[in-house]
Amino acid sequence: MTGRRYLIFDAYYDADGDNLRHIRSLFANARCDGWRPELMCPGEGRLTQAVEQEDGDVTVVPQHGRLDRYGGTVLSSGPIDRVAVVATLISYNFRILRALKANRPDAILCLNVRSMLMIGLAARLLRIPAMLYIKSPRRNPMLDRIAGALARRVLFAADAMMNGMRRSKFGRLPIGYDLADAEAAVAARPGGRDPEDDREHLTFVCCGWLLPVNGIHVLVDAFERTIHHVSDIRLSIVGDSDDADYVQELRNVVEWQRLGASIAFHGWQDNPVARIEEADIFVQPAFEGGHAYPVIAAMALGKPVISTVAGGAPELLGQGEYGMLVPANDSVLLSEAMYRMAADRAIRADFSAAAATAVRENHSIEGHMNALEKALDSIAGTAPASSPVGELGATAH
């Protein structure tokens, strides 16, 4: 296997967030005697900069402006525009085909459906095995089926995301988290003390894109309900947004409810560990989601977690063993969970210990890299026939 190369193709070349962190982690933790990653993408931006900082090889294959649109704008356009996009997508695959011929990898990894659609046809024509790794909910059944058909293997970060895919070609690969930053933050705690002992206020924190689907407005409403019962609490909201109207609406609600002294907006953080470490309880109010890195970071830091029952969260939190689970889009029940967590330090301590242990056992970057390399072996034809992809979830623990 020494010297084998796999190409990570990613359409989101200029986006911050979990995807960028995951790709950077794959480069940072690549093994000298294992599969070596390279990056190909349709533009220069934050992603290419991050990979170059890890001394990774980057190839940019520019895309037509018709494809350089994000946030659902392509899917929401008119039928004529969508037909033009399909034609442009096929044309881009042939541009990618020429790039692949010049530097032929042993395998291709795509971390989202859009990326597979942009390279999957070229990979098929050149008979380069491609793997699709899904870390977030699938939203378009037709595009999901096309991307799944183009892929040799489809892996999911959580069992909850697998519905509807052909079982013979998919498996589970739990997300991996590089614990270095969390371990450093824990080691830096004065005298090994619980940070909560040295803080004036009990602070909740939420990290992620400020979008309606992530339920930030529900969290603000739940916090307003909770502060009536536990007055000495604060809320930190960490994240950016491309929906300026939604962010302004959030700020208006905070001002109208006179919560400006209790709720702080911190904007996007390249590494959310520092902000999470400054807080005491992590809250994930999203309506849908996969295995969000900030949740795993909070668990690694030993922060008790409250999360909605969305995407892979129930699996991540051991069906409620490692954190509290509440229904999505219900500020009353979320407020009840926040009150219970804030009012009972023993509950916080129990969840803290359970979460810290679980994340190290189930989501280490070492376990993830082991399983990923076995998956790459399987599609490249170097894995034993008795090692089905469906067993990868167990190898990552």
Side-chain angles (χ1 to χ4, degrees):
M1 188 173 64
T2 302
R4 297 207 118 192
R5 297 178 300 114
Y6 74 100
L7 181 73
I8 301 172
F9 182 86
D10 201 87
Y12 298 95
Y13 63 91
D14 197 35
D16 281 322
D18 291 354
N19 202 55
L20 184 148
R21 294 190 188 103
H22 181 74
I23 293 174
R24 185 168 192 167
S25 182
L26 293 180
F27 278 86
N29 292 279
R31 299 162 183 175
C32 295
D33 61 346
W35 283 84
R36 180 166 61 87
E38 298 177 0
L39 176 69
M40 182 179 288
C41 57
E44 295 183 1
R46 296 179 181 92
L47 178 58
T48 58
Q49 293 167 9
V51 169
E52 287 168 350
Q53 288 172 4
E54 299 295 340
D55 296 322
D57 293 332
V58 176
T59 301
V60 174
V61 182
Q63 64 186 347
H64 190 282
R66 189 176 287 119
L67 297 179
D68 200 8
R69 295 179 290 169
Y70 301 88
T73 56
V74 173
L75 292 176
S76 62
S77 60
I80 296 177
D81 187 42
R82 277 180 282 178
V83 169
V85 166
V86 171
T88 306
L89 195 60
I90 294 172
S91 174
Y92 184 75
N93 267 267
F94 281 97
R95 182 180 297 181
I96 287 286
L97 186 145
R98 292 191 291 272
L100 290 177
K101 280 184 177 179
N103 186 22
R104 187 171 184 133
D106 297 290
I108 295 171
L109 174 65
C110 295
L111 302 174
N112 47 72
V113 167
R114 183 182 184 127
S115 297
M116 181 58 73
L117 296 175
M118 294 180 73
I119 197 174
L121 177 59
R124 281 281 180 173
L125 292 173
L126 291 176
R127 297 185 179 178
I128 301 174
M131 183 163 62
L132 176 61
Y133 182 38
I134 301 294
K135 310 186 304 301
S136 58
R138 294 172 288 147
R139 295 185 176 88
N140 188 301
M142 181 182 71
L143 296 182
D144 295 337
R145 285 194 292 270
I146 295 172
L150 291 170
R152 182 77 61 86
R153 292 286 187 272
V154 182
L155 300 181
F156 296 86
D159 289 332
M161 302 173 191
M162 292 188 187
N163 293 336
M165 300 299 287
R166 189 157 55 87
R167 291 186 176 274
S168 62
K169 69 184 297 181
F170 73 67
R172 178 174 174 267
L173 175 58
I175 199 74
Y177 182 76
D178 190 337
L179 296 172
D181 290 336
E183 299 286 12
V186 171
R189 292 173 181 172
R193 288 165 53 84
D194 186 337
E196 186 178 319
D197 296 333
D198 302 317
R199 281 197 271 268
E200 182 179 355
H201 308 288
L202 192 73
T203 302
F204 294 88
V205 62
C206 172
C207 298
W209 283 99
L210 307 189
L211 299 171
V213 73
N214 285 333
I216 310 300
H217 56 292
V218 178
L219 174 58
V220 170
D221 186 42
F223 180 82
E224 191 272 336
R225 294 172 184 271
T226 307
I227 203 170
H228 287 304
H229 302 286
V230 187
S231 59
D232 197 21
I233 57 175
R234 299 292 184 268
L235 172 62
S236 292
I237 299 175
V238 180
D240 202 350
S241 180
D242 53 9
D243 188 338
D245 291 339
Y246 181 67
V247 175
Q248 187 58 53
E249 181 182 339
L250 290 173
R251 293 183 178 277
N252 290 343
V253 170
V254 169
E255 182 180 357
W256 177 67
Q257 293 180 335
R258 299 182 180 179
L259 294 173
S262 301
I263 298 179
F265 292 86
H266 294 290
W268 185 256
Q269 310 286 308
D270 288 337
N271 187 340
V273 167
R275 287 295 182 187
I276 298 173
E277 174 65 3
E278 292 173 355
D280 305 290
I281 301 166
F282 188 91
V283 185
Q284 171 72 289
F287 299 171
E288 59 180 39
H291 280 173
Y293 272 91
V295 178
I296 300 177
M299 295 173 68
L301 289 166
K303 305 295 180 180
V305 175
I306 303 170
S307 175
T308 52
V309 182
E315 293 172 50
L316 187 60
L317 295 178
Q319 306 302 327
E321 184 178 352
Y322 316 134
M324 286 187 182
L325 293 168
V326 298
N329 198 20
D330 192 324
S331 61
V332 174
L333 291 181
L334 178 57
S335 175
E336 290 177 2
M338 293 171 69
Y339 170 75
R340 184 183 173 203
M341 193 77 88
D344 195 328
R345 183 162 185 168
I347 290 178
R348 297 199 298 275
D350 288 345
F351 280 131
S352 172
T357 299
V359 79
R360 285 161 176 79
E361 291 179 349
N362 303 332
H363 298 281
S364 71
I365 190 62
E366 294 81 10
H368 180 84
M369 296 302 293
N370 282 337
L372 177 61
E373 291 206 352
K374 288 184 179 180
L376 290 169
D377 285 343
S378 74
I379 65 172
T382 58
S386 60
S387 298
V389 176
E391 294 181 1
L392 287 173
T395 66
H397 291 263

